[in-house]
Amino acid sequence: MTTLTDPPKESFRLSMLIYDTRYRSATIQVVALIGFLLLIGWLISNTAANLANLGKPIDFGFLGEPAGYDINQRLIEYNSQSSHWRAAIVGLLNTLVVAVLGCITATVLGVIIGVLRLSNNWIVSRIMTVYVEMFRNVPVLLWIVFVMAILIETLPAPRAFRGDDATASMVFSESVAVTNRGVYIPEPLFSRGLGDIPVFGNSFEISLDLIAILIVLGAGIWGSTVVRKRADRIQAATGDRPTTWYLRLGLVLVPLAILLFALGFHLGYPALKGFNFQGGTHLRNSLIALWLALSLYTAAFIAEIVRAGIMAISKGQTEAAGALGLRPNRIMSLVVLPQALRVIIPPLISNYLNLTKNSSLAIAVGYMDITGTLMGITLNQTGRELETVLMGMLVYLAISLSISAVMNWYNNRVKLVER
Amino acid sequence: MSDLGFVRTEMLPEQAPPATTVGAIGWARQNLFNGISNSVLTVLSLVFIYYILAAMLPWLLSPTWGAESLNECREINGSGHGGACWGVISERWLQLMFGFYPPEYYWRPIAAFLLLGVALAPVLFDTAPRKLLIFTPLYPFFGAWLLWGGTIWNPLAALAGFVLGYYAYKVVAAAAGSLAGVIAAALVPVLWWLFLAGPVAGALSSILPIGIQAVESRAFGGFMLSITIGVTAILCSLPLGIVLALGRQSDLLIVKALCVGFIEFIRGVPLITLLFVASTLLNIFMPPGTNFDIILRVMIMVTLFAAAYMAEVVRGGLAALPTGQYEAADALGLDYWKAQRLVIMPQALKISIPGIVSTFIGVFKDTTLVSIIGLLDPLGLSNAIRADAAWNGIVWEIYGFIALMFFVFCFSMSRYSMYLERKLKTSH
């Protein structure tokens, strides 16, 4: 017969902090924390001492001063008398514009190339392989300057469009002019527009037309979703799916068309006046080059992701779905695609993130994004390295973290629920 | 059964398959012309390839290797015939390779890169002689000395720090336990580098001046610069990335938070902003009066950048490993580091080879960004060459050459990773 006895009481010794697993992790963490704080403190004290020596304490007052430089590609009103802060906002919007445009075209191109690379046509799949290897193995910065050079060197100058013996002509029934100074496209105009409303104390203006269009579009899509859900319910109950595509399309398009007509929507076409084109929206070479190069480059990566995603779905899935009696397009949409997307989406989004970060290379072709305005000219003019670079980093960090938040949300939604 | 006329007793010899299903014709029918849409695609692709080649080949094959300026090229090519102007490459390729490195010392970077191959051979290929492994850890010091020159005592003093650390560990661990040994091994070299290495190297070089002509970092350029930055960042980021990945997977809350914060911060900002930090801010963060080399600053930032990406790749490998492996290592009684070294890491790293190599390729490609902060990498040099009066207006040849060089480096890296994957594959 044994009795339970407590283990011998050990008095606490200093060496237990290291050798006793109960305390060791706490010891390591405290040491790491102290080391980290010491490092941060050291850096901050160095910075403070250096800034004091230079005679420029941290001060964000420069943001309110007039910027004094021009930005030719912009979404909102800006002139050289506007503040550095506004210049930074223009830059941020330019970053977002090229990122969004780039992500869309890169996805479209990447999906096409990825699917064609799996084609059983030998020559097509080889061409796509060459494309992917060519773009993946050459730096994106080189592609950007290369595309810029192509645009400047090979496209006709605006004067080539002039006169009776014009060597160049506008495309898409005289509505788009592709020149070596950029591309001129028609701009949307509203003859009965609603005007703008000022926000943030008159510093920005948001077009009411745009808001109205977005609201109507959103409502149309919501209505179409309701119709789809109703069709789903009917199918679940009766097995027959009512044909709804014309109803859904109409719900989106008809109100939009009515609104556009009510607003007096028309297009302003670019026209050659003197030595240059007037009217229309002018997409400068720098934007086109950056957009094109980033899309082509990222498309190569997306193509590989799409290919891997499709190949990751085993053939048995397709065969099993076929054995259940599903038609090929239903197999694709109900069985293969949902599983492939689970593999494709996370790396796809991290490629969007890379594209957004690579858009900072705009500085190489003179596109004024946030790197070009805040961390470029503003930095050089005000000499505020610490403030501008920190602000720029925070902006990119905010963009990245919001994209990762979307990714995590999606990942959690489609995660396979396992044991 | 005698009315049975004839029964064949031997097999007929096999007949050759129809000519249309084998050989070139059969292959083409199967892979290029099976079905109408595929045939259309094939024809379209062939037309596309023909146009590309028809446009490229005459341009590529223009006889302008000897030309000394763009005008001379145009004369050789004749009017209306747009051929490439390869004179710029034949005249400037040494500059594209070495930047403004003094020509009489070109042998030094060449030797450094040949020796890099020797040092890496035993790591990369198991057919290389094992004895070369002794040279591998010595190479970083020797290579840096070859590139930057100066007295030999500086790299030797830096190397002495590691040797001292090793002996400090041995002595202290024997006397006061392994943990004290680890602390001593970390502390002694740091103290040596901070306080003693400089004076000792200075004293030794005044007594015994062995050295080669020093070359300033400003003279570095071209592919030499890209490879120097790239190789340093690649080699340093792998161990740093592994440590960060382990930190991120660790149970220690504060360590984990620090690692996650570092990784997410670095991955969240573009490399170009980190290079701005290197060029404008890093000196502000250091004690007043410090002014260290711009190439070194860039190397530090690129290394940190690469390490964060590497950490995520390695973490993927760690996460892909079945939990059973961790549990089995624990059950064998291995401590944390032994388990990592003997069980976890060999498998996790093998899984993450493709990711690791694509990070390497990405880092090497990203070295072109240093041209934006004014270093003369190939892209930075190309701007200088295009500004030259003789070559003003040249575009395709020089970009094409740089692109081809990068392609060769990066493509061979990706092929090596495929070879490594095949070699290490243990499944069926």
Side-chain angles (χ1 to χ4, degrees):
Chain A
M1 178 101 185
T2 53
T3 52
L4 278 175
T5 50
D6 284 337
K9 282 261 189 215
E10 249 189 301
S11 63
F12 181 77
R13 282 174 286 109
L14 208 57
S15 63
M16 281 167 70
L17 281 180
I18 289 168
Y19 292 113
D20 192 319
T21 46
R22 282 172 298 177
Y23 308 119
R24 184 158 58 188
S25 69
T27 317
I28 294 174
Q29 298 200 58
V30 169
V31 169
L33 189 64
I34 291 174
F36 176 70
L37 291 179
L38 281 179
L39 181 71
I40 294 289
W42 183 69
L43 290 178
I44 289 179
S45 76
N46 285 337
T47 310
N50 279 313
L51 289 179
N53 284 349
L54 292 171
K56 43 178 185 185
I58 295 180
D59 175 18
F60 286 91
F62 70 92
L63 286 174
E65 290 162 16
Y69 57 91
D70 242 329
I71 302 177
N72 47 32
Q73 184 89 56
R74 56 177 184 257
L75 281 185
I76 58 174
E77 277 305 309
Y78 173 87
N79 58 47
S80 58
Q81 289 308 306
S82 307
S83 62
H84 283 297
W85 169 249
R86 203 174 172 85
I89 298 285
V90 174
L92 174 60
L93 288 176
N94 278 348
T95 296
L96 294 178
V97 163
V98 82
V100 170
L101 288 176
C103 286
I104 294 170
T105 36
T107 313
V108 173
L109 273 177
V111 169
I112 294 173
I113 293 164
V115 171
L116 283 184
R117 220 188 145 179
L118 286 174
S119 154
N120 51 13
N121 187 319
W122 183 84
I123 199 159
V124 170
S125 70
R126 267 324 110 106
I127 289 177
M128 294 308 150
T129 310
V130 169
Y131 174 90
V132 168
E133 295 295 349
M134 192 171 86
F135 275 89
R136 286 204 313 171
N137 288 313
V138 173
V140 63
L141 184 58
L142 198 55
W143 283 118
I144 292 174
V145 292
F146 203 66
V147 173
M148 186 71 176
I150 291 178
L151 293 182
I152 292 176
E153 301 277 327
T154 62
L155 292 179
R159 67 164 183 277
F161 290 81
R162 204 150 45 94
D164 298 328
D165 54 346
T167 49
S169 59
M170 294 169 74
V171 287
F172 296 122
S173 61
E174 295 286 301
S175 64
V176 174
V178 182
T179 76
N180 65 356
R181 290 193 198 168
V183 176
Y184 296 82
I185 57 169
E187 62 179 332
L189 294 173
F190 302 96
S191 56
R192 292 183 291 274
L194 300 170
D196 301 326
I197 49 161
V199 287
F200 298 125
N202 287 330
S203 57
F204 296 100
E205 286 174 341
I206 295 181
S207 159
L208 277 177
D209 307 322
L210 187 67
I211 295 178
I213 290 173
L214 287 181
I215 288 175
V216 169
L217 198 61
I221 290 172
W222 177 77
S224 144
T225 319
V226 170
V227 172
R228 179 176 60 85
K229 285 201 174 135
R230 185 172 150 271
D232 282 348
R233 270 202 311 279
I234 293 177
Q235 186 182 22
T238 66
D240 283 328
R241 192 180 180 83
T243 318
T244 55
W245 66 265
Y246 51 85
L247 187 60
R248 293 179 59 192
L249 204 64
L251 270 175
V252 177
L253 290 185
V254 171
L256 195 65
I258 292 172
L259 178 76
L260 287 179
F261 181 75
L263 290 175
F265 175 81
H266 61 278
L267 289 173
Y269 292 102
L272 193 61
K273 294 223 177 76
F275 290 99
N276 215 337
F277 280 90
Q278 300 289 326
T281 302
H282 183 189
L283 304 177
R284 287 180 189 265
N285 270 336
S286 49
L287 169 62
I288 306 262
L290 191 67
W291 173 20
L292 214 58
L294 287 178
S295 318
L296 292 174
Y297 179 79
T298 313
F301 290 84
I302 292 180
E304 283 298 272
I305 293 167
V306 170
R307 186 174 74 109
I310 294 176
M311 278 170 44
I313 306 308
S314 73
K315 207 164 176 231
Q317 296 285 329
T318 319
E319 290 166 352
L324 284 175
L326 293 177
R327 278 169 281 130
N329 57 343
R330 304 289 276 172
I331 293 177
M332 194 40 110
S333 64
L334 293 177
V335 177
V336 176
L337 222 50
Q339 299 185 70
L341 280 182
R342 187 179 289 133
V343 183
I344 290 172
I345 296 274
L348 184 69
I349 292 184
S350 86
N351 264 294
Y352 289 165
L353 207 58
N354 283 343
L355 190 148
T356 311
K357 285 186 289 177
N358 282 338
S359 74
S360 61
L361 299 179
I363 200 168
V365 287
Y367 179 68
M368 298 301 268
D369 72 335
I370 184 102
T371 317
T373 56
L374 185 67
M375 285 186 277
I377 304 182
T378 296
L379 188 156
N380 287 333
Q381 285 192 356
T382 61
R384 297 264 163 207
E385 302 100 356
L386 191 65
E387 292 90 337
T388 51
V389 172
L390 277 185
M391 278 178 68
M393 281 182 151
L394 284 181
V395 167
Y396 279 110
L397 206 55
I399 297 176
S400 303
L401 290 183
S402 16
I403 296 181
S404 337
V406 172
M407 177 159 96
N408 287 340
W409 169 81
Y410 177 84
N411 268 346
N412 284 335
R413 217 175 65 108
V414 301
K415 194 162 61 180
L416 274 181
V417 182
E418 286 177 343
R419 287 176 285 130
Chain B
M1 301 302 260
S2 60
D3 54 336
L4 215 60
F6 172 76
V7 174
R8 183 179 287 282
T9 52
E10 76 280 11
M11 292 284 282
L12 275 173
E14 282 178 13
Q15 278 190 336
T20 49
T21 61
V22 289
I25 300 171
W27 179 87
R29 274 178 65 135
Q30 215 165 43
N31 291 299
L32 299 178
F33 298 102
N34 52 342
I36 293 168
S37 58
N38 247 344
S39 309
V40 172
L41 265 181
T42 304
V43 172
L44 284 180
S45 310
L46 287 175
V47 171
F48 172 74
I49 291 174
Y50 170 76
Y51 271 106
I52 294 272
L53 288 183
M56 291 285 284
L57 280 183
W59 183 82
L60 280 173
L61 299 175
S62 76
T64 48
W65 279 102
E68 277 168 11
S69 74
L70 193 56
N71 289 332
E72 207 180 320
C73 284
R74 295 213 169 114
E75 277 166 30
I76 296 175
N77 281 327
S79 61
H81 176 66
C85 182
W86 297 117
V88 64
I89 304 297
S90 70
E91 191 186 297
R92 297 298 187 100
W93 76 276
L94 278 175
Q95 199 186 21
L96 280 172
M97 288 294 152
F98 300 105
F100 294 103
Y101 207 83
E104 64 270 30
Y105 299 129
Y106 277 169
W107 63 270
R108 275 159 49 178
I110 294 173
F113 293 129
L114 288 180
L115 287 176
L116 174 69
V118 175
L120 285 182
V123 183
L124 297 182
F125 304 102
D126 42 345
T127 46
R130 293 290 92 189
K131 278 184 185 158
L132 285 176
L133 269 175
I134 305 166
F135 178 65
T136 306
L138 298 180
Y139 175 77
F141 307 96
F142 190 59
W145 178 66
L146 272 179
L147 287 178
W148 274 274
T151 167
I152 193 157
W153 297 112
N154 281 337
L156 284 184
L159 180 60
F162 288 100
V163 178
L164 278 177
Y166 175 70
Y167 280 107
Y169 175 77
K170 280 207 118 176
V171 171
V172 178
S178 70
L179 196 90
V182 170
I183 294 172
L187 216 57
V188 169
V190 171
L191 291 176
W192 162 259
W193 285 322
L194 281 182
F195 299 110
L196 283 173
V200 168
L204 278 172
S205 65
S206 62
I207 299 168
L208 206 63
I210 305 175
I212 47 179
Q213 180 66 42
V215 176
E216 294 245 354
S217 286
R218 262 181 297 136
F220 280 47
F223 279 99
M224 194 189 93
L225 180 68
S226 299
I227 294 175
T228 311
I229 295 176
V231 167
T232 316
I234 284 171
L235 293 185
C236 299
S237 66
L238 186 58
L240 200 55
I242 292 175
V243 171
L244 281 170
L246 288 179
R248 194 171 183 164
Q249 293 286 78
S250 126
D251 302 325
L252 311 175
L253 208 63
I254 296 176
V255 175
K256 184 177 176 179
L258 290 179
C259 289
V260 170
F262 177 83
I263 293 171
E264 291 302 327
F265 174 74
I266 298 273
R267 277 163 47 91
V269 299
L271 178 58
I272 186 72
T273 60
L274 293 176
L275 291 179
F276 281 142
V277 169
S279 74
T280 61
L281 290 183
L282 215 52
N283 275 337
I284 294 184
F285 294 150
M286 290 293 124
T290 324
N291 190 3
F292 61 103
D293 194 74
I294 177 73
I295 294 189
L296 192 60
R297 281 184 272 162
V298 166
M299 279 177 181
I300 291 173
M301 287 327 256
V302 177
T303 303
L304 293 182
F305 179 79
Y309 282 82
M310 196 64 73
E312 283 302 274
V313 171
V314 175
R315 185 174 75 115
L318 288 174
L321 218 55
T323 331
Q325 296 292 326
Y326 292 87
E327 291 164 353
D330 283 346
L332 284 175
L334 298 176
D335 68 13
Y336 179 78
W337 293 108
K338 275 203 177 125
Q340 293 295 343
R341 190 162 55 85
L342 299 172
V343 179
I344 308 299
M345 272 302 152
Q347 303 182 67
L349 289 182
K350 193 176 86 183
I351 299 173
S352 26
I353 285 174
I356 290 176
V357 175
S358 64
T359 312
F360 285 170
I361 294 176
V363 171
F364 185 60
K365 284 189 298 181
D366 282 343
T367 58
T368 48
L369 266 63
V370 299
S371 65
I372 291 180
I373 58 165
L375 293 187
L376 291 174
D377 84 315
L379 218 53
L381 280 170
S382 78
N383 293 333
I385 294 171
R386 289 172 65 197
D388 185 335
W391 301 113
N392 199 342
I394 203 138
V395 184
W396 318 111
E397 296 82 357
I398 201 148
Y399 285 155
F401 178 72
I402 298 171
L404 182 71
M405 292 294 291
F406 271 104
F407 183 84
V408 168
F409 281 117
C410 297
F411 193 67
S412 37
M413 268 196 261
S414 74
R415 290 295 119 161
Y416 174 76
S417 104
M418 289 181 183
Y419 154 80
L420 201 60
E421 270 178 83
R422 270 199 310 277
K423 196 182 79 177
L424 295 179
K425 194 171 170 186
T426 44
S427 62
H428 300 291

